[in-house]
């Protein structure tokens, strides 16, 4: 079993839609969770990190963690074409990344 | 915010030559930096962990003699791909560990093409 599982997509949505990106992990010892955004041919950019179960909001982005299910989500409200990128989750161990979900927001 | 730079952003070289890639933390000191390789449509693969003033720790399957890492200061780590071959062509990304140590900040990446 991989340490981190992500649906590779691509996920295509119309502009303004609410986007849900998900990730599962196997190691219950993970204590903190991060989401990165990576544009094509660029290095990843840290979007959000959180330490605990529950929700953390930052502008249009909300990170949700369910430690009991080992499931983390990133919600994007009012999605924009500029949100089109690959989103990588990194649960706990900063050296382990999901394969990434490709998001395409169409105008 | 924490900024990490990489140089060069892209490089094309002939097979058999060596290529050096620099990674710098511009506005913070990083005792630990990481080097990743990313092939098209794949995730980041950690190659090695670079600690200032000590030898790098390589991941299994990564040849330490081929990928030389030097972390000479708190703001600079270098990766040298020695005797590069076409199969080394990839996107190389470095990152620097932040003060909180739970997060890392990535450089923009270096695209290497070996002909």
């Amino acid at each position: 079993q991989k340490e981190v599982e992500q649906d590779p997509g691509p996920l295509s949505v119309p502009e303004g839609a609410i986007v849900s990106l998900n990730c599962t992990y196997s190691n219950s010892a993970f204590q903190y969770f991060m989401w990165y955004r990576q544009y094509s041919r660029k290095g990843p950019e840290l979007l959000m990190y959180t330490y605990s179960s529950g929700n953390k909001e930052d502008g249009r982005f909300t990170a949700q963690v369910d430690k009991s299910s080992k499931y983390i989500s990133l919600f994007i409200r009012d999605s924009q074409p500029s949100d089109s990128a690959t989103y990588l989750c990194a649960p706990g161990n900063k050296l382990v990344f999901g394969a990434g979900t490709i998001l395409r927001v169409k105008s | 915010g924490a900024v990490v730079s990489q140089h060069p952003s892209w490089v094309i070289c002939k097979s058999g030559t060596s290529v050096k890639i620099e990674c710098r933390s511009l506005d913070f000191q990083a005792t630990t930096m990481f080097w990743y390789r990313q092939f098209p449509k794949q995730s980041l693969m950690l190659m090695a962990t670079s600690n200032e003033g000590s030898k790098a720790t390589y991941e299994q399957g990564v040849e330490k003699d081929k990928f030389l890492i030097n972390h000479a200061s708190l703001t600079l780590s270098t990766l040298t791909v020695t005797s590069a071959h076409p199969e080394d062509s990839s996107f190389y990304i470095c990152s620097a560990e932040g003060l909180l140590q739970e997060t890392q900040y990535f450089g923009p990446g270096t695209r290497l093409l070996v002909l």
Side-chain angles (χ1 to χ4, degrees):
Chain A
Q1 182 186 8
K2 291 183 180 179
E3 283 195 273
V4 182
E5 299 270 8
Q6 261 187 286
D7 185 339
L11 176 63
S12 293
V13 300
E15 184 175 356
I18 296 174
V19 176
S20 173
L21 303 168
N22 307 301
C23 190
T24 59
Y25 61 95
S26 58
N27 191 338
S28 58
F30 290 160
Q31 295 296 312
Y32 46 88
F33 309 90
M34 289 162 283
W35 283 96
Y36 289 85
R37 176 175 61 194
Q38 185 177 24
Y39 291 112
S40 181
R41 299 174 182 266
K42 301 290 185 183
E45 168 195 11
L46 179 64
L47 266 182
M48 298 187 72
Y49 67 92
T50 182
Y51 292 90
S52 58
S53 283
N55 296 347
K56 179 178 180 180
E57 191 173 317
D58 184 2
R60 294 187 295 113
F61 298 90
T62 299
Q64 186 176 79
V65 177
D66 182 347
K67 288 187 178 181
S68 62
S69 302
K70 301 191 193 66
Y71 193 85
I72 60 177
S73 300
L74 178 69
F75 298 98
I76 306 174
R77 291 186 301 280
D78 188 25
S79 56
Q80 303 295 311
S82 59
D83 294 328
S84 299
T86 298
Y87 290 80
L88 306 167
C89 68
N93 185 337
K94 58 198 172 192
L95 305 180
V96 177
F97 292 84
T101 299
I102 298 171
L103 172 66
R104 294 176 183 156
V105 181
K106 299 178 181 179
S107 58
Chain B
V3 179
V4 176
S5 71
Q6 272 185 252
H7 177 80
S9 56
W10 60 271
V11 60
I12 302 173
C13 69
K14 292 182 179 180
S15 184
T17 60
S18 294
V19 175
K20 179 186 282 189
I21 303 170
E22 292 186 349
C23 177
R24 293 180 185 272
S25 55
L26 297 185
D27 51 1
F28 66 104
Q29 294 182 330
T31 54
T32 303
M33 290 183 172
F34 305 94
W35 286 96
Y36 295 85
R37 182 165 49 183
Q38 186 177 37
F39 292 105
K41 299 185 179 181
Q42 295 187 24
S43 189
L44 303 166
M45 295 298 295
L46 179 67
M47 299 175 67
T49 302
S50 168
N51 293 296
E52 188 267 338
S54 63
K55 291 184 179 180
T57 303
Y58 291 82
E59 295 299 302
Q60 191 172 11
V62 178
E63 300 174 59
K64 61 178 68 175
D65 294 331
K66 181 169 185 61
F67 298 99
L68 301 179
I69 291 173
N70 183 281
H71 195 155
S73 76
L74 289 172
T75 59
L76 173 64
S77 176
T78 61
L79 167 69
T80 301
V81 183
T82 61
S83 187
H85 291 285
E87 58 265 30
D88 298 323
S89 299
S90 187
F91 192 45
Y92 291 86
I93 308 173
C94 74
S95 70
E97 190 170 68
L99 292 176
L100 293 178
Q101 298 188 326
E102 292 91 359
T103 60
Q104 53 182 315
Y105 299 93
F106 286 87
T110 296
R111 191 160 300 277
L112 171 64
L113 177 61
V114 184
L115 302 176

